[in-house]
Amino acid sequence: VQLQASGGGLVQAGESLRLSCTAPGRTVLSNTLAWFRQAPGKEREFVAAIARSGGEYYQDSVEGRFTITRDLSKNTLYLQMNSLKPEDTAVYYCAGSPRIYTRRSSYYQSTSYNSWGQGTQVTVSS
């Protein structure tokens, strides 16, 4: 299922952005949904995930600043990003998996997801 991410932009450090992810024509109710990001010259890294049960998982560097949610009525996944830092600059991707994972580490691995969005650019200036 192709996902569509949006909401990126150029902001100053300390400001906020909210990213959205939808699956046009399909429900986004994958059992597991996540956000990853990739900065220039770096590998794609895990940012946050939300399980079917509602459990949330975060990378340490965004814990307390980012919040992942999903709105079933709007068929949309969100990533609320507050107190943005220049090091948050990256292309952000949403991802989905039909599987339910029991091991925490599974949420952090890009190989656990089989549906991906096209990415949305987030740039944070200092």
Side-chain angles (χ1 to χ4, degrees):
V1 176
Q2 184 64 34
L3 305 176
Q4 290 188 355
S6 62
L10 172 63
V11 297
Q12 293 187 334
E15 294 184 340
S16 299
L17 277 175
R18 188 177 74 163
L19 305 183
S20 301
C21 176
T22 61
R26 296 286 299 273
T27 179
V28 75
L29 297 178
S30 295
N31 282 320
T32 302
L33 294 164
W35 290 96
F36 285 75
R37 67 186 181 187
Q38 187 167 18
K42 296 186 177 181
E43 293 186 354
R44 188 171 299 189
E45 65 175 2
F46 171 80
V47 176
I50 185 166
R52 179 73 175 179
S53 63
E56 300 170 23
Y57 304 86
Y58 296 95
Q59 183 198 106
D60 289 346
S61 69
V62 307
E63 182 87 49
R65 299 188 297 122
F66 291 10
T67 304
I68 186 171
T69 58
R70 61 184 178 189
D71 187 328
L72 302 181
S73 67
K74 296 183 178 179
N75 198 34
T76 303
L77 172 71
Y78 298 103
L79 183 68
Q80 178 66 43
M81 305 185 296
N82 299 328
S83 302
L84 282 162
K85 303 176 180 180
E87 51 263 44
D88 294 319
T89 295
V91 177
Y92 283 70
Y93 299 89
C94 55
S97 170
R99 299 185 61 183
I100 298 174
Y101 298 109
T102 57
R103 292 191 302 178
R104 185 185 185 94
S105 61
S106 297
Y107 292 94
Y108 291 73
Q109 299 169 2
S110 61
T111 53
S112 297
Y113 303 88
N114 63 351
S115 298
W116 290 86
Q118 82 287 2
T120 184
Q121 176 70 47
V122 173
T123 303
V124 185
S125 63
S126 58

